[in-house]
Amino acid sequence: MNALHQCISQYHPISIAAWEALSKALIKVEVPKNSFLVKEGAVCNKLYFLERGCLRGYYNNLDGKEVTYWFGFENNFITSFYSFISRKPGIENIQILEDSTLWGISFEALNQLFDQHHDLERLVRIINEQYYIRLEERLMAMQFKTARERYEQLLETSPHILQRIPLGQIASYLGISQETLSRIRSQV
Amino acid sequence: MNALHQCISQYHPISIAAWEALSKALIKVEVPKNSFLVKEGAVCNKLYFLERGCLRGYYNNLDGKEVTYWFGFENNFITSFYSFISRKPGIENIQILEDSTLWGISFEALNQLFDQHHDLERLVRIINEQYYIRLEERLMAMQFKTARERYEQLLETSPHILQRIPLGQIASYLGISQETLSRIRSQV
DNA sequence: TCTTTCTTTTGACAATTGTCAAAAAAGGAA
DNA sequence: TTCCTTTTTTGACAATTGTCAAAAGAAAGA
């Protein structure tokens, strides 16, 4: 739980009372490789902090292919965002790629904490904003860069992804075919 | 200002006190077509609500081309998000495409209001979340759909864009060349 | 170790999309 | 209207990326 506290502090320090309340509401979740944290068709009721391990979000498209659109690593906040926020079933699956340790809090518990601790809601607002900026950067790369440029950007900003994730999933994440990524990689 | 109040209510109703405080902090901005709300290299210090008109966010890429990555229409919240949040100069230009009326609030004023009115900060958190979901949808379309599919999706979800925005800017927004968009359009 | 399975690479070819240049069409101003 | 500017379309060709199939390589279990 220390990792979470440290991570939080980097975004926005919260009061001791807020941290204590949050700690009490958190539930430790240990999940083995290849299991699922969230499955499509279900409402995702929890927001997680990933302390150890890694995982991915993907959905099955109309052609029956798995489409990976994000990876989660240590110190990331994890949820099926659309489902968690809208309280509706999502199409997203969250699969554990390495044995992982997470801390989870339910939607209800989180919102109760928001009522009691203004600074906790501020923290979440600020984290949301930072994640928004990341997403914006990714959209821009997707929209205006070639496959090769996107791969090179990934190499620079997130080399750990290359070491921990199979190529096919990375290709999907970059929006290209596995064959194309393999060819790009052999030419760099 | 009524439009803003109504728009807000759809996200999260706020107290009368919060609304009054917000109203007082808002500054009306009228801008003519082709002028700029935000220019690259500057820190964007305001969050706007667009009451009337339309505008676009774009940046100049390394090849000297304008790259459009969003449009704003009536009832949208507008800012150069990265710059507004991080308090750093951005690369984004916001150009007015039709004579527009906006209501603006400064970063400082907004944050002071957050301290005084918890429900206002909640409102912004919720709006942020909804905008995040939109962005996520756009990223997925960009990542896993063909140019034609993205165009057809735009036709369905935002036909007004087609009627108010030049083709070249729409093409850029869709991440394709103007010629390709023109050809797609002639074949639908 | 030897299989078996999963992952990655390679080849051949097709489909999509981009680029450059020019023509056509549309819109604005006098 | 008429002229001028901007926007859109079209053609020819090149570059990028995808698809299918097969081979090569790596990892995991018996």
Side-chain angles (χ1 to χ4, degrees):
Chain A
M1 205 133 56
N2 267 345
L4 173 57
H5 190 260
Q6 201 177 335
C7 178
I8 282 176
S9 311
Q10 285 167 6
Y11 286 102
H12 177 73
I14 58 175
S15 65
I16 295 173
W19 170 249
E20 280 177 355
L22 177 61
S23 310
K24 276 184 198 155
L26 287 169
I27 298 159
K28 190 174 189 173
V29 184
E30 307 244 22
V31 277
K33 182 171 173 172
N34 287 327
S35 65
F36 286 85
L37 195 61
V38 177
K39 281 223 167 188
E40 59 184 297
V43 174
C44 175
N45 199 39
K46 287 217 171 76
L47 172 67
Y48 297 93
F49 174 77
L50 180 55
E51 186 175 286
R52 176 187 67 101
C54 78
L55 35 75
R56 66 166 179 143
Y58 75 90
Y59 67 94
N60 296 295
N61 76 358
L62 299 175
D63 306 334
K65 284 187 187 166
E66 289 184 359
V67 162
T68 297
Y69 58 103
W70 58 267
F71 298 108
F73 295 95
E74 284 82 4
N75 295 320
N76 287 166
F77 294 96
I78 309 291
T79 190
S80 183
F81 198 82
Y82 166 80
S83 177
F84 182 75
I85 295 300
S86 69
R87 318 304 302 139
K88 293 177 192 163
I91 58 168
E92 186 173 29
N93 299 279
I94 300 182
Q95 184 184 27
I96 312 299
L97 301 181
E98 296 173 8
D99 293 353
S100 298
T101 306
L102 303 103
W103 295 89
I105 184 169
S106 73
F107 183 87
E108 294 74 21
L110 186 63
N111 277 276
Q112 278 175 22
L113 289 180
F114 285 166
D115 287 338
Q116 290 152 21
H117 301 277
H118 184 164
D119 55 340
L120 200 61
E121 183 154 14
R122 174 162 302 174
L123 168 71
V124 170
R125 172 181 66 80
I126 289 171
I127 292 173
N128 281 346
E129 286 168 353
Q130 296 300 321
Y131 273 67
Y132 187 95
I133 288 173
R134 284 196 214 178
L135 197 62
E136 214 173 40
E137 277 169 13
R138 237 188 105 199
L139 176 64
M140 284 201 254
M142 200 54 66
Q143 202 164 352
F144 306 112
K145 295 193 173 174
T146 64
R148 156 162 281 117
E149 287 169 334
R150 297 202 298 276
Y151 172 71
E152 284 167 357
Q153 181 175 320
L154 192 72
L155 265 186
E156 278 181 31
T157 62
S158 316
H160 56 284
I161 292 187
L162 279 300
Q163 286 147 13
R164 294 171 72 177
I165 310 282
L167 202 68
Q169 290 174 19
I170 296 174
S172 179
Y173 175 79
L174 290 172
I176 56 181
S177 71
Q178 171 167 329
E179 293 90 335
T180 297
L181 179 54
S182 175
R183 288 186 177 104
I184 286 172
R185 206 160 65 146
S186 70
Q187 287 164 28
V188 170
Chain B
M1 208 132 56
N2 266 344
L4 173 56
H5 190 259
Q6 202 177 336
C7 178
I8 282 176
S9 310
Q10 287 168 6
Y11 287 101
H12 178 72
I14 58 175
S15 66
I16 294 173
W19 170 248
E20 280 177 357
L22 177 61
S23 311
K24 276 185 197 155
L26 288 170
I27 297 159
K28 189 174 189 175
V29 184
E30 306 245 23
V31 278
K33 182 171 172 172
N34 287 327
S35 65
F36 286 85
L37 195 61
V38 176
K39 281 222 168 190
E40 60 184 297
V43 174
C44 176
N45 199 37
K46 286 217 170 76
L47 172 67
Y48 297 95
F49 173 78
L50 179 56
E51 186 175 284
R52 177 187 65 100
C54 79
L55 35 75
R56 68 167 177 141
Y58 75 90
Y59 68 94
N60 297 294
N61 77 356
L62 298 176
D63 306 334
K65 283 187 187 168
E66 290 184 357
V67 162
T68 297
Y69 58 102
W70 56 267
F71 298 108
F73 294 96
E74 285 81 4
N75 295 320
N76 287 166
F77 293 97
I78 309 292
T79 191
S80 182
F81 196 82
Y82 167 78
S83 177
F84 183 75
I85 294 300
S86 70
R87 318 303 303 140
K88 293 178 193 162
I91 58 166
E92 183 172 33
N93 298 279
I94 301 183
Q95 184 184 27
I96 312 297
L97 300 180
E98 296 173 7
D99 293 353
S100 298
T101 306
L102 304 102
W103 295 90
I105 184 169
S106 73
F107 183 86
E108 293 76 18
L110 185 63
N111 278 276
Q112 278 175 22
L113 288 181
F114 286 166
D115 287 339
Q116 291 152 21
H117 301 278
H118 184 164
D119 55 342
L120 200 61
E121 183 155 14
R122 174 163 301 174
L123 169 71
V124 170
R125 172 181 65 80
I126 289 171
I127 292 174
N128 281 347
E129 287 168 351
Q130 295 301 320
Y131 273 67
Y132 187 96
I133 288 172
R134 284 196 214 178
L135 197 63
E136 215 174 38
E137 278 169 12
R138 238 189 104 199
L139 176 64
M140 284 201 254
M142 199 57 64
Q143 202 165 352
F144 307 112
K145 294 193 172 175
T146 64
R148 155 161 283 115
E149 288 169 333
R150 298 202 297 276
Y151 173 71
E152 284 165 357
Q153 181 175 322
L154 193 71
L155 265 185
E156 277 180 31
T157 61
S158 317
H160 57 283
I161 292 187
L162 280 299
Q163 286 147 15
R164 294 170 73 175
I165 310 282
L167 202 68
Q169 290 175 18
I170 296 174
S172 178
Y173 174 80
L174 289 173
I176 56 180
S177 71
Q178 171 167 328
E179 293 91 334
T180 297
L181 179 54
S182 175
R183 290 188 176 103
I184 285 172
R185 206 159 66 146
S186 69
Q187 286 164 27
V188 170

